[in-house]
Amino acid sequence: MAKDFFAAGWTVRDLITALDTLPDGRAHGQLVDGQWVPYSGADGIPAARLGHWVNWRLNAWRDSGTVVESPTQTRIRRAAAAEVERQAQQLARDEERQRNLAEMATPEGQSAKQACLAQFRAHSERNRPRRRRWR
């Protein structure tokens, strides 16, 4: 029953997840009066029909007969993509920092830095609280 799932790299935990949920994350169930009603498991299913029940639940995880990506494979792929994105963002920040450092090393950058520092000093001098002398 699950041979093609194992051949596609699924784990036992993935099969348990597939028996409990649909690929979109909802619990297996049915529509009743327009409302999705989850149906937990094989409760009340005769042993003779259990194989059919398992196949029916696992079929939701097939696309035209081909096994889709398992929940574990999806998590691994998403984590790898997030790591690539994080590394790209870090590289962009590092490049920006290097551009800023190179820009500040120019004479124009140094004069802008000195002007900015002068503004900070003037502002802090104006706003410094005066000391009171007690007599």
Side-chain angles (χ1 to χ4, degrees):
M1 265 185 275
K3 184 177 180 180
D4 54 339
F5 286 88
F6 288 122
W10 281 52
T11 65
V12 172
R13 169 56 50 204
D14 291 328
L15 284 174
I16 292 170
T17 300
L19 291 173
D20 290 337
T21 62
L22 294 166
D24 64 7
R26 292 180 299 156
H28 277 281
Q30 61 188 8
L31 279 174
V32 176
D33 297 328
Q35 293 278 349
W36 186 256
V37 179
Y39 180 69
S40 64
D43 302 338
I45 295 178
R49 302 280 304 150
L50 196 56
H52 173 74
W53 177 84
V54 169
N55 272 333
W56 179 76
R57 290 247 169 147
L58 291 180
N59 277 337
W61 292 84
R62 290 184 173 102
D63 184 19
S64 302
T66 304
V67 175
V68 299
E69 188 176 59
S70 76
T72 300
Q73 292 165 338
T74 301
R75 275 192 303 278
I76 290 169
R77 179 182 48 78
R78 287 179 180 166
E83 178 62 19
V84 167
E85 178 66 22
R86 187 197 64 75
Q87 288 176 354
Q89 290 173 349
Q90 182 64 45
L91 181 61
R93 283 192 299 268
D94 291 345
E95 289 172 353
E96 178 69 19
R97 185 169 186 268
Q98 290 300 320
R99 276 194 301 275
N100 287 341
L101 288 173
E103 186 178 313
M104 291 308 293
T106 65
E108 294 85 10
Q110 289 298 312
S111 65
K113 177 181 169 182
Q114 293 304 320
C116 188
L117 288 172
Q119 281 183 337
F120 282 140
R121 283 189 208 108
H123 180 73
S124 65
E125 289 293 325
R126 282 193 309 261
N127 294 325
R128 179 175 287 155
R130 303 221 184 261
R131 279 189 165 180
R132 292 180 124 184
R133 292 193 177 169
W134 297 96
R135 293 183 193 198

